[in-house]
């Protein structure tokens, strides 16, 4: 029994021993295989372009087989085919290779592959040491003896095909097929990575090119461009902006918000620039704000027009601005032209005034003389039928027309003269103390004389109407508004002039029953040369300066002026005047 037991245990030992030897061999083989795959894997991982992947692949395959060439076909439009020879190959062999690849590819997953196109796009990636030899006579034969095709897959997608070729028959051992497939998988992943990297690099290059082009556009823009961060510190000034803001000597490196810069700087206009930037940072879009950015005292100093808008991130339109983008335009030459134009208008108006004064004076003189003569005739020749039939009566009527047209011309010339005064800030006021009610009454009286179809009412609602203001200018304002009230109510009607009080200031309302003003135009009516473009107002003469000058006079006094439309029947012009001038 013992011996049996003994012999059994011996048997078991010997069985264990033999299987142990077998296992030791297998473990060694697996370890060897893993080391091999590990080395290959590392080579593929280190490959940074497709050529390095080819080198790694060739090296790995050459450790398994001795063969003539391998190839990699990659899906794409068009297909990419790289043929990697192990030694110089004949042209016929290469052609046969392409043929074989096409037929195998059709079978695996690419039914539409075209041999001609493939031949044209194929790339012979010969290792360095071969490239010189390839140029010389080829040494290999022209026939393919054996061939192995393996699909290249990444995450179960067939991305291409690996093919191995040899001149000799039976080169590719089916026992190594599993290992070869693993190498093919490594190569597929490595090539896919290279492809992604290449695509990423191309995209990055494209984005970088776009960025550089944008930078170039910004830098070379004729308009000045200024960009700030969320605190209002300038982060970018293009060449034009640097040139335009040269006086301020802004140093971008300092990284200081404009409003802080303005506090310490003695450049007078920085304050206004900071104000514009602050408005834009608060979310407002500021349009065409003028800044005099040159030496004060020059005949026309450097004048900039600035528009600024908040910079909002594309997907966060509701949030706070991340900065401001401002465009600066040099409008000095426009100002120069404007000044020349205003000077011309002013000179011509002055020149017109002298002959006008004498026409007015002599007309008045003639009117008085003829009037006297007619009265005398009336007294002396009581027997004639009517004095109106005398030729002098006709002369008198003609002279009255000359007089009223001259007055019209005089008003026009005065408006033109006032225009340049307003433009260049020379509208000087002569303050005196007077009763506003008296001036209103005088204006109502003279407007009524020439407005037969209208009835003009005066409604004084305040007791003491003394005011310290420029009497002539205030008379001009009331006269202008009254003239318009009569002119723009062709069917006559009532005009009411009302004097009241608004928050301690005088308030004058002048209401007519005329054509009224379309609410769309209410904001523009006080702009210079602005006339309503509707058929109704086209029939009235005028140049659109009266209200522009009127507003300037009222604002110069510290008052406000506005107009309201009265539900389709006429409109009301209102203005306020402080009782005494406001000291600023
Ligand atoms: P002008 O009368 O010479 O055209 P104004 O500056 O006095 O210039 O007026 C500007 C425009 O405002 C006028 O052309 C007219 O269209 C409009 N307007 C002014 N006053 C009235 C009014 N009382 N009723 C209707 N439209 C008016």
């Amino acid at each position: 029994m013992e011996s049996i037991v003994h012999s059994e245990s011996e048997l078991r030992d010997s069985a264990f021993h033999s299987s142990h030897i077998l296992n030791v061999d297998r473990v060694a083989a697996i370890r060897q295989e893993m080391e091999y795959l590990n080395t290959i894997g590392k080579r593929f991982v280190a490959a940074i372009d497709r050529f390095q992947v080819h080198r790694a692949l060739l090296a790995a395959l050459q450790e398994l087989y001795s063969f003539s060439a391998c190839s990699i076909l990659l899906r794409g439009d068009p297909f990419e085919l790289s043929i990697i020879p192990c030694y110089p190959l004949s042209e016929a062999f290469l052609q046969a290779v392409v043929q074989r690849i096409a037929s195998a590819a059709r079978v695996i997953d690419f039914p539409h592959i075209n041999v001609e196109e493939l031949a044209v796009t194929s790339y012979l990636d010969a290792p360095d040491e071969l490239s010189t030899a390839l140029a010389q006579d080829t040494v290999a034969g022209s026939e393919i003896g054996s061939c192995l095709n393996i699909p290249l897959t990444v995450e179960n997608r067939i991305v291409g095909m690996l093919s191995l070729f040899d001149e000799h028959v039976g080169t590719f051992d089916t026992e190594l097929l599993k290992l070869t497939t693993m190498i093919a998988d490594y190569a597929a992943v490595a090539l896919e990575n290279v492809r992604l990297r290449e695509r990423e690099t191309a995209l990055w290059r494209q984005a970088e090119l776009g960025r550089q082009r944008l930078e170039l556009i910004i830098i070379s823009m004729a308009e000045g461009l200024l960009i700030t961060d969320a605190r209002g510190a300038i982060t970018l000034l293009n060449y034009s902006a640097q040139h335009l803001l040269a006086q301020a000597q802004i140093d971008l490196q300092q990284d200081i918000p404009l409003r802080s810069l303005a506090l310490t700087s003695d450049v007078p206009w920085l304050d206004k620039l900071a104000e514009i930037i602050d408005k834009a940072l608060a979310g407002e879009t500021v349009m065409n704000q003028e800044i005099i950015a040159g030496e004060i005292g020059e005949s026309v100093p450097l004048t900039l027009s600035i528009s600024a808008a908040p910079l909002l991130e594309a997907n966060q339109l509701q949030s706070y601005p991340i900065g401001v983008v401002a465009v600066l335009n040099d409008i000095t030459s426009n100002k120069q032209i404007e000044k020349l134009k205003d000077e011309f208008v002013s000179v011509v108006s002055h020149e017109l005034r002298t002959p006008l004064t004498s026409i007015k004076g002599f007309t008045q003189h003639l009117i008085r003389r003829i009037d006297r003569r007619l009265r005398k005739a009336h007294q002396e020749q009581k027997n004639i039928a009517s004095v109106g039939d005398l030729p002098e009566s006709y002369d008198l009527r003609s002279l009255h027309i000359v007089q009223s047209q001259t007055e019209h011309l005089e008003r026009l010339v005065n408006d033109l003269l006032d225009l340049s005064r307003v433009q260049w800030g020379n509208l000087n006021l002569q303050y005196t103390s007077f009763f506003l009610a008296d001036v209103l009454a005088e204006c109502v009286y003279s407007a009524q004389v020439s407005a037969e179809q209208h009835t003009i009412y005066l409604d004084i609602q305040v007791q003491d109407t003394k005011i310290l203001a420029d009497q002539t200018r205030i008379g001009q304002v009331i006269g202008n508004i009254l003239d318009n009230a009569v002119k723009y109510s062709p069917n006559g009607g009532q005009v009411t002039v009302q004097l009241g009080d608004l928050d301690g200031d005088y308030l004058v309302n002048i209401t007519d029953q005329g054509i009224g003003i379309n609410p769309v135009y209410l904001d523009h009516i006080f702009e210079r040369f602005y006339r309503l473009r509707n058929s109704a107002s086209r029939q009235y003469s005028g140049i659109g300066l009266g209200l522009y000058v009127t507003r300037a006079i009222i604002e110069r006094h510290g008052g406000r002026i506005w107009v309201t439309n009265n539900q389709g029947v006429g409109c009301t012009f209102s203005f306020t005047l402080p009782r005494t001038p406001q000291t600023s």
Side-chain angles (χ1 to χ4, degrees):
M1 279 292 280
E2 221 186 280
S3 67
I4 292 169
V5 170
H6 181 72
S7 70
E8 269 181 357
S9 87
E10 262 181 8
L11 268 175
R12 215 169 36 241
D13 278 354
S14 80
F16 169 78
H17 187 67
S18 59
S19 78
H20 182 67
I21 289 170
L22 257 177
N23 279 348
V24 167
D25 283 351
R26 268 189 70 198
V27 167
I30 290 171
R31 187 174 294 151
Q32 212 179 347
E33 196 176 305
M34 278 177 68
E35 268 169 20
Y36 166 71
L37 285 174
N38 193 23
T39 322
I40 288 169
K42 276 186 190 157
R43 276 193 224 145
F44 278 118
V45 169
I48 55 162
D49 61 28
R50 62 182 61 203
F51 306 108
Q52 290 189 10
V53 177
H54 295 172
R55 295 290 87 77
L57 179 68
L58 197 65
L61 293 172
Q62 278 178 326
E63 283 185 37
L64 302 182
Y65 315 102
S66 160
F67 57 100
S68 311
C70 71
S71 76
I72 288 168
L73 176 72
L74 286 178
R75 194 195 284 279
D77 187 20
F79 280 94
E80 291 169 26
L81 173 62
S82 304
I83 301 171
I84 310 147
C86 299
Y87 49 83
L89 298 171
S90 71
E91 191 60 36
F93 190 87
L94 284 172
Q95 275 174 15
V97 160
V98 175
Q99 293 272 359
R100 282 289 184 93
I101 292 169
S103 6
R106 278 193 207 108
V107 175
I108 67 156
D109 197 38
F110 311 121
H112 304 296
I113 206 152
N114 177 319
V115 185
E116 284 75 33
E117 273 176 26
L118 211 55
V120 174
T121 53
S122 67
Y123 175 80
L124 191 66
D125 179 17
D128 285 344
E129 60 276 15
L130 280 188
S131 48
T132 37
L134 276 169
Q136 297 155 14
D137 280 347
T138 49
V139 293
S142 59
E143 299 266 322
I144 296 174
S146 48
C147 161
L148 177 67
N149 297 303
I150 299 170
L152 290 174
T153 53
V154 175
E155 289 169 359
N156 294 332
R157 275 181 302 120
I158 299 185
V159 296
M161 183 177 81
L162 167 71
S163 308
L164 280 81
F165 303 93
D166 194 37
E167 296 168 61
H168 308 104
V169 183
T171 305
F172 304 111
D173 187 346
T174 42
E175 291 220 338
L176 292 173
L177 195 60
K178 211 171 138 209
L179 206 54
T180 316
T181 308
M182 281 169 94
I183 293 168
D185 286 346
Y186 271 137
V189 172
L191 282 170
E192 192 72 354
N193 282 346
V194 164
R195 225 190 226 197
L196 285 176
R197 206 174 303 146
E198 277 174 359
R199 200 169 304 157
E200 204 173 284
T201 311
L203 282 176
W204 182 84
R205 263 203 210 113
Q206 214 175 332
E208 179 59 15
L209 215 72
R211 195 193 61 78
Q212 283 174 2
R213 191 162 300 162
L214 197 70
E215 203 172 284
L216 207 71
I217 292 171
I218 288 174
I219 285 172
S220 356
M221 264 169 69
E223 287 86 4
L225 193 83
L226 176 158
I227 293 176
T228 75
D229 61 16
R231 298 172 305 132
I234 298 181
T235 53
L236 186 144
L237 276 180
N238 69 354
Y239 288 147
S240 303
Q242 280 173 27
H243 175 71
L244 293 173
L245 304 180
Q247 201 193 41
Q249 295 183 332
I250 293 167
D251 180 2
L252 295 190
Q253 305 300 322
Q254 282 184 338
D255 188 33
I256 301 175
L258 260 179
R259 89 185 72 85
S260 315
L261 266 185
L263 284 178
T264 52
S265 163
D266 45 5
V267 177
W269 47 266
L270 256 187
D271 226 18
K272 181 139 190 225
L273 182 63
E275 200 179 295
I276 294 171
I277 298 300
D278 281 351
K279 274 191 189 165
L281 278 176
E284 201 181 314
T285 299
V286 186
M287 294 299 294
N288 303 325
Q289 291 287 304
E290 284 183 20
I291 283 187
I292 296 179
E295 291 298 335
I296 307 293
E298 278 174 40
S299 85
V300 180
L302 172 66
T303 312
L304 305 181
S305 165
I306 302 181
S307 298
L311 255 180
L312 300 168
E313 268 179 314
N315 49 353
Q316 292 178 356
L317 289 176
Q318 302 303 321
S319 67
Y320 290 107
I322 55 164
V324 168
V325 55
V327 179
L328 290 73
N329 272 301
D330 181 355
I331 53 164
T332 315
S333 54
N334 298 9
K335 287 280 159 191
Q336 250 152 357
I337 295 168
E338 237 172 70
K339 191 172 186 213
L340 280 177
K341 199 177 68 195
D342 288 342
E343 277 169 1
F344 171 77
V345 170
S346 161
V347 167
V348 172
S349 316
H350 267 295
E351 289 304 309
L352 283 173
R353 236 165 109 153
T354 321
L356 262 178
T357 314
S358 54
I359 293 172
K360 202 176 150 193
F362 282 112
T363 315
Q364 238 161 20
H365 171 70
L366 286 173
I367 287 175
R368 264 190 241 119
R369 259 179 63 175
I370 295 178
D371 200 41
R372 259 202 313 272
R373 244 189 262 160
L374 279 174
R375 250 179 256 183
K376 213 170 154 198
H378 183 65
Q379 282 165 2
E380 286 171 1
Q381 302 168 15
K382 288 221 167 84
N383 49 344
I384 56 168
S386 160
V387 175
D389 295 335
L390 291 174
E392 279 91 343
S393 296
Y394 177 74
D395 292 348
L396 190 65
R397 278 200 295 278
S398 310
L399 281 170
H400 271 302
I401 294 172
V402 173
Q403 189 183 38
S404 102
Q405 291 302 319
T406 313
E407 278 166 4
H408 179 66
L409 209 61
E410 195 183 27
R411 270 202 302 277
L412 228 125
V413 168
N414 284 340
D415 275 353
L416 286 173
L417 278 171
D418 283 344
L419 166 76
S420 60
R421 287 192 188 110
V422 173
Q423 285 290 100
W424 298 98
N426 297 332
L427 191 79
N428 298 322
L429 303 179
Q430 309 293 326
Y431 283 97
T432 53
S433 176
F434 59 93
F435 284 101
L436 186 53
D438 288 351
V439 177
L440 285 168
E442 275 166 38
C443 293
V444 166
Y445 175 76
S446 58
Q448 185 66 83
V449 171
S450 51
E452 289 163 7
Q453 282 183 289
H454 301 76
T455 317
I456 310 177
Y457 293 105
L458 180 60
D459 173 14
I460 307 290
Q461 297 192 336
V462 277
Q463 289 280 315
D464 176 24
T465 65
K466 263 219 153 180
I467 187 168
L468 192 60
D470 186 322
Q471 185 170 350
T472 319
R473 290 294 186 189
I474 297 301
Q476 183 183 349
V477 164
I478 303 161
N480 266 346
I481 302 175
L482 270 176
D483 280 354
N484 279 347
V486 171
K487 181 162 73 168
Y488 296 107
S489 41
N491 300 323
Q494 279 181 19
V495 176
T496 312
V497 179
Q498 190 186 62
L499 175 63
D501 183 282
L502 183 73
D503 301 333
D505 289 345
Y506 286 119
L507 169 70
V508 178
N509 290 317
I510 301 177
T511 306
D512 64 53
Q513 296 178 320
I515 59 172
I517 300 166
N518 186 329
V520 176
Y521 306 118
L522 288 179
D523 283 347
H524 301 287
I525 207 111
F526 297 99
E527 290 167 12
R528 65 179 181 152
F529 298 117
Y530 194 86
R531 306 205 69 222
L532 255 61
R533 280 163 195 79
N534 60 19
S535 56
S537 47
R538 238 176 271 145
Q539 47 189 300
Y540 309 103
S541 66
I543 52 170
L545 272 185
L547 288 180
Y548 174 72
V549 174
T550 297
R551 180 175 66 176
I553 296 173
I554 293 294
E555 286 179 352
R556 199 75 181 73
H557 277 88
R560 273 191 317 119
I561 183 163
W562 67 97
V563 59
T564 36
N565 203 34
N566 296 335
Q567 310 292 325
V569 187
C571 54
T572 299
F573 279 84
S574 308
F575 65 84
T576 60
L577 277 176
R579 287 163 199 256
T580 50
Q582 286 169 340
T583 43
S584 53

